[in-house]
Amino acid sequence: MIDGHGDDLFRYNGKVKVNFSTNIHQGVDHSGLMRHLASCRELLSNYPEPEPVSVEKKLSDTYGFPVDNIIVTNGATDAIYLIARKMQGARSAVVVPTFREYQDACAMFGHDVRFIRESAILEGALSACKADVVWLCNPNNPTGQVFVHEELLKIIDARPETLYVIDQAYADYSVVDVVTVQDILSRKNVIMLQSLTKQFAVPGLRIGYALASADIISGLRMMRMPWSVNSFAIEASLYLLEHRNDYHIDRYLLHKEALGISQALRCLGIECRETDCNFILCSLPEGKASELKEWLMEMYGLLIRDASNFETLDHTYFRVAAQDHESNELLIKCIEEWVSL
């Protein structure tokens, strides 16, 4: 899906003052990274590694999992398409509403796609669909909900013949337990997606990775295009992992701010889903989310995510991600004004 993602600042020619449409916290200081990349200008004149093995080794050394269990990709989305290609023609179940790229990648590679509502995942729906591959996001985008850790592992272990792709790009924003690396490496039927983009708030660099059994990773590496990760993304990844202690996402503060936004919007008659992280799925009692989005941009330079193009959601849905308290208060005040028009 080329159109319809959040964080579409490119449409507004520098008019965005506060970006609530991205799930990534905007208050991160990248001055050290920028100085480092500026000192590496020679990278511009040379090809990157054909395969980003230096980042895979750095991840292995940093977090202690075997290098044979990692594949670094051009953002987590690249890994999604590699997996869909590897499983070409499979029966895929997508837990919805969720990130659109799962179903788009499956459609590109001839999967038989069926949808399972997020609310039904623990009620036998996965067993009934007899899928070869199950795709789910944890925390789920756009709902912000995390699947109960123990219950999710029970489902995975009950169907060892099914491959589970668990996208944990937003794990660093979750205030409840998510699937762990050990959970993945002790099983042969799970792939975990992770994102340095989200962990370090660098979405413009496109850097992600997948963790799975060595056999699965080997198969994905055979299909990875050469030079798929550019030199500056590689260098930035090495720098960020080396300086990871300088980066801190206050997940509890952001979750508290998200709950504050939810409480205020509910007082305006806007439905807000419960969330386990920093972003909230909301539904207007009347009117269109696209109209609210454009009004907020035109009047105040505030960008939200029109969520109407997620599977199972309609024109009333939008998503916001908590930012700093002052910005969040401004958003609430502006939406209150729109509701009263």
Side-chain angles (χ1 to χ4, degrees), residues 55-328:
V55 183
E56 291 168 352
K57 185 176 187 304
K58 186 67 174 179
L59 284 165
S60 175
D61 292 343
T62 300
Y63 297 118
F65 37 74
V67 72
D68 288 344
N69 295 103
I70 317 162
I71 180 172
V72 168
T73 54
N74 183 25
T77 300
D78 185 22
I80 291 167
Y81 281 79
L82 284 176
I83 295 165
R85 181 183 172 190
K86 182 178 186 295
M87 299 299 295
Q88 188 162 350
R91 292 171 298 179
S92 274
V94 181
V95 180
V96 292
T98 197
F99 188 44
R100 181 63 181 261
E101 296 301 332
Y102 311 139
Q103 71 188 78
D104 287 356
C106 288
M108 180 179 287
F109 293 103
H111 290 223
D112 175 14
V113 181
R114 67 280 314 270
F115 301 108
I116 301 174
R117 288 185 177 270
E118 181 186 50
S119 58
I121 187 173
L122 299 179
E123 299 172 2
L126 286 180
S127 296
C129 77
K130 295 182 171 59
D132 301 312
V133 190
V134 173
W135 305 76
L136 59 86
C137 194
N138 194 48
N140 189 25
N141 173 19
T143 67
Q145 294 183 327
V146 172
F147 298 101
V148 177
H149 182 227
E150 295 79 7
E151 294 298 326
L152 184 54
L153 292 181
K154 286 180 182 177
I155 292 171
I156 291 169
D157 291 339
R159 292 184 60 84
E161 73 279 8
T162 299
L163 177 65
Y164 290 83
V165 183
I166 303 177
D167 185 349
Q168 293 201 161
Y170 295 106
D172 289 294
Y173 292 88
S174 174
V175 295
V176 298
D177 291 339
V178 295
V179 174
T180 68
V181 171
Q182 187 54 44
D183 293 331
I184 302 301
L185 298 186
S186 62
R187 290 168 171 83
K188 301 294 186 181
N189 65 327
V190 190
I191 302 175
M192 178 197 288
L193 304 182
Q194 287 281 11
S195 173
L196 297 182
T197 288
K198 312 298 190 299
Q199 182 180 354
F200 295 109
V202 287
L205 285 173
R206 313 308 306 135
I207 190 83
Y209 61 97
L211 287 170
S213 70
D215 287 344
I216 291 175
I217 295 300
S218 176
L220 294 176
R221 283 179 175 168
M222 290 176 64
M223 295 181 296
R224 180 173 54 186
M225 292 176 60
W227 306 298
S228 61
V229 181
N230 72 74
S231 296
F232 286 101
I234 290 172
E235 186 64 31
S237 299
L238 297 174
Y239 175 91
L240 291 167
L241 290 168
E242 186 66 28
H243 295 83
R244 63 193 179 280
N245 292 333
D246 296 338
Y247 290 80
H248 174 64
I249 295 173
D250 194 336
R251 64 185 73 190
Y252 297 101
L253 176 60
L254 288 172
H255 184 245
K256 180 180 178 181
E257 288 292 331
L259 296 182
I261 295 172
S262 295
Q263 182 179 5
L265 295 186
R266 289 188 183 114
C267 291
L268 300 176
I270 296 172
E271 178 187 345
C272 298
R273 298 274 188 96
E274 297 296 330
T275 182
D276 296 312
C277 57
N278 62 317
F279 52 88
I280 318 141
L281 180 63
C282 311
S283 179
L284 296 169
E286 57 183 352
K288 295 182 178 181
S290 58
E291 295 172 349
L292 172 60
K293 175 183 176 179
E294 293 307 316
W295 186 86
L296 287 170
M297 265 304 307
E298 181 179 349
M299 298 299 294
Y300 294 102
L302 306 182
L303 183 60
I304 64 171
R305 168 68 151 95
D306 175 3
S308 61
N309 64 339
F310 284 94
E311 195 75 32
T312 74
L313 303 186
D314 62 25
H315 65 273
T316 65
Y317 282 91
F318 66 97
R319 190 196 68 205
V320 296
Q323 301 299 330
D324 64 89
H325 183 72
E326 182 179 356
S327 297
N328 298 336

